[in-house]
Amino acid sequence: MNIVFMGTPEYADTILKRLLAEKEITVTSVYTQPDKPVGRKKVLTPPPVKVTAEAAGVACYQPYSLKEDGIAGRIEREKPDFIVVAAYGQLLPKAILEIAPCINLHASLLPKYRGASPIQQALLNGDRVTGVTAMLMEEGLDSGPMLAWNVTPIGLNDRKNELFMRLAEMAADLTLKTVKKYRSIRSLPQCDADATYCKKIARRDGLVTFDLPAETIYNRFRAFEGWPGIYLENGLKLLDLALMEGEGEAGKILAIDDDGVVVACKSGALKIKMVQPSSKKAMDALSYIRGKRLKIDDLFI
């Protein structure tokens, strides 16, 4: 079985590695996004999928657009049985969709959360369940008929990175089952009336204030783990949080103990354990309030 693979981040990389490990599958080529500058020093860094492809000796291409001349023809000459897509970052043009069945492994239970950030959106909304859907791609955004899916619960303490890894493993399993049983699968059309969409995450999405409910801030903390993180208007990053009982004026310190600082929100409260002031190193919240000479009933700023 010949497969062309398209994907970019760690989620896609997990699926690619599983395909490469299957003896009856040959990954004929890989397509991923161009290298990008990363970190303060803007070091040009390849996507995880490229690193894996090159280590396996598989041809890897990084076009800015799949509509570039020659790409569809090159893929067609490889005679793929399937084109497998996972978090690639580009829509596939009609010329490629017509070459072979294009199967997308989308990290939500479609038609919920079509778009760029389904895992983050599930956490933002405080969902208690999510999953992975294998769908047959068409020209619309994540709108094609569904082939298979798998479901997993979301715990209150689950955060983005752990959920990404769990869903990636589920997606890898689902990929193999789908391509091996494809001929016997009866697809199920999505109900467009039930569709919801999620956007690409931007840094400004991490801005929070204590005028928000504690649960809303906590869900953003879980969803934006790593990047963009969550931060206050003065640039202070909130690196470690826990939901707490408590009521009071939004932003006021309600309690202080060895584990952190309890701060009131619009509703509920949060225990802040670790912070990072702008342009400084991370520190525990107790050290931060001591440096600011803050105490109970003061505003946490």
Side-chain angles (χ1 to χ4, degrees):
M1 183 188 303
N2 291 338
I3 288 179
V4 171
F5 184 80
M6 298 181 177
T8 301
E10 287 85 356
Y11 171 83
D13 190 47
T14 299
I15 300 170
L16 175 60
K17 286 175 178 175
R18 192 73 64 84
L19 291 171
L20 290 169
E22 286 290 308
K23 292 181 179 180
E24 63 267 39
I25 291 175
T26 299
V27 179
T28 58
S29 64
V30 168
Y31 287 77
T32 189
Q33 294 287 69
D35 297 0
K36 290 186 177 181
V38 173
R40 291 184 178 180
K41 295 184 178 180
K42 302 297 181 183
V43 177
L44 199 61
T45 304
V49 163
K50 178 182 178 181
V51 175
T52 294
E54 290 185 340
V58 178
C60 183
Y61 304 98
Q62 298 175 276
Y64 285 97
S65 171
L66 290 173
K67 294 180 180 180
E68 292 176 11
D69 289 343
I71 292 178
R74 181 170 63 210
I75 293 174
E76 190 167 17
R77 287 191 294 273
E78 294 176 22
K79 300 186 184 305
D81 295 290
F82 298 99
I83 298 172
V84 174
V85 182
Y88 177 43
Q90 293 190 39
L91 293 175
L92 274 59
K94 185 177 181 180
I96 292 177
L97 290 170
E98 292 177 343
I99 294 172
C102 298
I103 299 172
N104 181 30
L105 283 302
H106 189 72
S108 80
L109 297 174
L110 290 170
K112 196 173 187 179
Y113 305 146
R114 296 174 179 175
S117 56
I119 297 175
Q120 292 95 325
Q121 198 64 50
L123 290 168
L124 287 172
N125 288 349
D127 291 356
R128 292 294 177 257
V129 66
T130 188
V132 177
T133 305
M135 53 156 284
L136 193 61
M137 297 180 71
E138 56 184 27
E139 289 187 87
L141 177 63
D142 300 326
S143 59
M146 299 177 290
L147 301 170
W149 54 88
N150 206 343
V151 179
T152 185
I154 303 176
L156 181 62
N157 295 319
D158 285 345
R159 294 166 65 179
K160 183 188 73 176
N161 291 347
E162 188 277 333
L163 193 55
F164 257 97
M165 290 189 289
R166 194 194 321 162
L167 290 173
E169 293 294 340
M170 290 171 56
D173 291 339
L174 199 61
T175 300
L176 296 181
K177 292 177 182 178
T178 302
V179 297
K180 290 179 180 181
K181 298 181 179 181
Y182 180 77
R183 304 303 171 190
S184 63
I185 293 174
R186 296 183 64 181
S187 63
L188 179 66
Q190 293 187 46
C191 178
D192 289 340
D194 292 333
T196 58
Y197 294 85
C198 50
K199 64 182 183 66
K200 186 175 181 179
I201 303 299
R203 186 184 182 280
R204 63 180 176 274
D205 293 323
L207 177 63
V208 298
T209 74
F210 295 114
D211 291 323
L212 294 168
E215 186 175 1
T216 298
I217 298 172
Y218 182 68
N219 285 342
R220 291 190 190 180
F221 162 69
R222 297 196 296 152
F224 298 151
E225 180 183 20
W227 189 89
I230 61 169
Y231 56 92
L232 303 177
E233 291 180 354
N234 64 356
L236 182 72
K237 296 179 181 178
L238 307 181
L239 301 182
D240 194 6
L241 301 177
L243 277 173
M244 298 290 291
E245 298 289 336
E247 298 291 339
E249 179 185 345
K252 183 173 286 188
I253 297 174
L254 301 179
I256 301 170
D257 61 30
D258 291 341
D259 195 34
V261 181
V262 179
V263 179
C265 301
K266 179 181 179 180
S267 59
L270 293 168
K271 175 173 279 189
I272 301 173
K273 301 179 180 181
M274 293 290 296
V275 299
Q276 184 175 6
S278 183
S279 301
K280 294 183 179 180
K281 293 182 179 181
M283 64 178 70
D284 61 82
L286 292 178
S287 297
Y288 175 77
I289 65 167
R290 286 168 184 156
K292 294 285 187 179
R293 297 185 178 181
L294 300 175
K295 58 186 184 302
I296 292 175
D297 289 335
D298 286 341
L299 291 176
F300 185 92
I301 54 172

